[in-house]
C-alpha cells in the first residue's frame, strides 16, 4: 500500500459525493499524487499513576489534507465556491476514495473534518485556492468498486444455492453440517455448505440479499459459528437486504431489522457458508462484501 494514489472522489455519509474531474475544481499538483500517511499513535487520553498507558488509549489515527484550485469556466465563481462550502460540512463523516494508476480503487471511511474548508480568493475572482483537512480514526483501507453510472458497488459476491438442494437426502445437523444419508458432508457442488474464500486482512460482516418467494431464509457460517434468520416471508417481487455490518435489514424499502435474529461474520481464508429456507421457490441467495486490505 505504499504506491502513489490519486484522490478520485469524496463521499459524504448522506450519500452526496464530490468528484475531482479537473474541469473547474481541481486538486493541486502536490495533492494529486499521494502516499498513504503513517498513522499517528502518539495520542494518549490518560495514563496510570505510574505513567503506563491504559489499555486501548493509544489511538491510531492519521490526517489527510486535500487542497486544490477553483477555476471558473462554464460555471460562475460563486456557484463553485458555494458547492464546495455546502459539501464540506463539519456535521458529517466522509469516505475518501483513492485510485491507483492501474485503475484499482480503495476507500477509507469515517473521516471527519478537523480543519475547516479554507477558500483563499485572488483579485478579480479568476481563481481561488482551497483546502480542507481530515482526520481518520479508522486506519483500515477497503476495496472499492463502482458500476457504469458511478454508483458504489461491492467488489465481491458469491451466490449460495439452497443447502437442501444437495443430492442424497441431506440434513442440517445440530452443529450446522450438511450430510447425506450415508454421512458424507456436503461442501461443494449444487447445494450443501459452500466454501467461500475471503481475501481480507480482518474479520468482516457481509451484506446478504434474498429475492422472494422465500419463507424464513437462513444464513450460516460454520467456520465462525455464526447464524442469522429472517422470521417471515419474502414474497415474489420482494427483496430482503441484510447488512450485518450496519445491523440493518430492509424488505424492499421497509425496515425489518427486528425480524432478523443473529448475525453472520467472515474471517480471512476459507469459510464454510450455507443458505437455507423453510419453503418457497427461491433456490439461492447472494452475499456481498469488500475485503479489508490493510
Amino acid at each position: 500500500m505504499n504506491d502513489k494514489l490519486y484522490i478520485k472522489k469524496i463521499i459524504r455519509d448522506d450519500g452526496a459525493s464530490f468528484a475531482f474531474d479537473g474541469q473547474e475544481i481541481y486538486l493541486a499538483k502536490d495533492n494529486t499524487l499521494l502516499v498513504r500517511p503513517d498513522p499517528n499513535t502518539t495520542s494518549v487520553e490518560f495514563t496510570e499513576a505510574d505513567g503506563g498507558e491504559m489499555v486501548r488509549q493509544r489511538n491510531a489515527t492519521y490526517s489527510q489534507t486535500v487542497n486544490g484550485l477553483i477555476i471558473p469556466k462554464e460555471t460562475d465563481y460563486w456557484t463553485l465556491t458555494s458547492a464546495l462550502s455546502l459539501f464540506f460540512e463539519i456535521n458529517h463523516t466522509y469516505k475518501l476514495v483513492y485510485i491507483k494508476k492501474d485503475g484499482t480503487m480503495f476507500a477509507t471511511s469515517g473521516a471527519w473534518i478537523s480543519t475547516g474548508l479554507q477558500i483563499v480568493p485572488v483579485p478579480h475572482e479568476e481563481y481561488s485556492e482551497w483546502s480542507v483537512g481530515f482526520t481518520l480514526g479508522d486506519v483500515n483501507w477497503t476495496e472499492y468498486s463502482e458500476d457504469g453510472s458511478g454508483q458504489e458497488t461491492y467488489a465481491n459476491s458469491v451466490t449460495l444455492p439452497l443447502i437442501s438442494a444437495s443430492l442424497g437426502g441431506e440434513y442440517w445437523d445440530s452443529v450446522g453440517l450438511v450430510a447425506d444419508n450415508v454421512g458424507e458432508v456436503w461442501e461443494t457442488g449444487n447445494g450443501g455448505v459452500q466454501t467461500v474464500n475471503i481475501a481480507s486482512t480482518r474479520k468482516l460482516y457481509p451484506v446478504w440479499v434474498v429475492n422472494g418467494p422465500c419463507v424464513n431464509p437462513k444464513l450460516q457460517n460454520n467456520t465462525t459459528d455464526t447464524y442469522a434468520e429472517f422470521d417471515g416471508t419474502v414474497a415474489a417481487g420482494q427483496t430482503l437486504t441484510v447488512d450485518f455490518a450496519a445491523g440493518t435489514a430492509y424488505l424492499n424499502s421497509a425496515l425489518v431489522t427486528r425480524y432478523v435474529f443473529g448475525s453472520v461474520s467472515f474471517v480471512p481464508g476459507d469459510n464454510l457458508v450455507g443458505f437455507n429456507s423453510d419453503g418457497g421457490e427461491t433456490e439461492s441467495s447472494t452475499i456481498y462484501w469488500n475485503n479489508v486490505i490493510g
Side-chain angles (χ1 to χ4, degrees):
M1 289 304 300
N2 291 324
D3 295 327
K4 291 183 177 180
L5 308 168
Y6 295 91
I7 291 181
K8 178 177 176 62
K9 66 168 64 174
I10 298 175
I11 304 173
R12 207 165 60 187
D13 55 13
D14 60 0
S17 65
F18 210 105
F20 302 101
D21 55 13
Q23 298 300 312
E24 294 184 299
I25 298 180
Y26 298 76
L27 289 176
K29 183 177 180 180
D30 65 349
N31 208 195
T32 302
L33 285 172
L34 299 171
V35 177
R36 178 178 176 177
D38 292 327
N40 172 21
T41 58
T42 60
S43 175
V44 180
E45 293 183 13
F46 59 88
T47 60
E48 295 180 83
D50 62 0
E53 295 173 13
M54 298 290 283
V55 175
R56 297 184 64 84
Q57 291 306 305
R58 186 174 287 273
N59 300 315
T61 64
Y62 68 87
S63 298
Q64 175 71 75
T65 299
V66 181
N67 56 79
L69 298 172
I70 301 172
I71 303 179
K73 294 179 181 178
E74 301 297 326
T75 311
D76 69 87
Y77 174 84
W78 292 109
T79 298
L80 294 173
T81 57
S82 294
L84 272 177
S85 298
L86 290 173
F87 181 74
F88 290 117
E89 296 180 338
I90 62 173
N91 57 337
H92 290 280
T93 59
Y94 296 81
K95 175 183 292 185
L96 277 59
V97 179
Y98 302 88
I99 185 170
K100 294 172 66 174
K101 286 185 176 181
D102 64 5
T104 305
M105 290 188 291
F106 309 103
T108 184
S109 302
W112 64 92
I113 293 176
S114 52
T115 303
L117 176 68
Q118 305 292 317
I119 299 177
V120 183
V122 299
H124 311 300
E125 298 170 1
E126 295 176 351
Y127 71 91
S128 283
E129 297 178 351
W130 63 272
S131 66
V132 62
F134 291 97
T135 296
L136 296 98
D138 185 353
V139 298
N140 295 295
W141 289 39
T142 61
E143 294 173 319
Y144 183 87
S145 185
E146 292 181 345
D147 61 20
S149 61
Q151 298 299 308
E152 182 177 358
T153 61
Y154 288 94
N156 306 279
S157 66
V158 169
T159 297
L160 301 169
L162 279 170
I163 286 176
S164 54
S166 303
L167 300 176
E170 68 292 337
Y171 63 90
W172 198 348
D173 68 16
S174 60
V175 296
L177 295 177
V178 178
D180 66 11
N181 52 13
V182 294
E184 290 291 332
V185 174
W186 291 85
E187 295 183 0
T188 59
N190 291 326
V193 178
Q194 306 292 303
T195 299
V196 178
N197 184 267
I198 304 298
S200 175
T201 60
R202 290 185 57 184
K203 180 171 74 172
L204 52 81
Y205 295 86
V207 171
W208 177 39
V209 176
V210 182
N211 295 311
C214 188
V215 179
N216 299 334
K218 319 169 201 306
L219 181 69
Q220 179 163 338
N221 186 342
N222 297 343
T223 302
T224 58
D225 194 23
T226 53
Y227 172 87
E229 178 176 351
F230 174 67
D231 184 13
T233 297
V234 183
Q238 291 184 319
T239 299
L240 173 70
T241 303
V242 183
D243 187 332
F244 293 114
T248 59
Y250 286 88
L251 189 60
N252 287 357
S253 59
L255 186 65
V256 292
T257 306
R258 66 184 182 277
Y259 298 114
V260 176
F261 302 93
S263 180
V264 173
S265 62
F266 290 161
V267 290
D270 287 341
N271 292 249
L272 295 177
V273 185
F275 160 65
N276 219 347
S277 73
D278 290 338
E281 298 177 7
T282 298
E283 297 183 350
S284 65
S285 67
T286 305
I287 48 177
Y288 299 86
W289 74 95
N290 289 324
N291 290 313
V292 179
I293 58 175

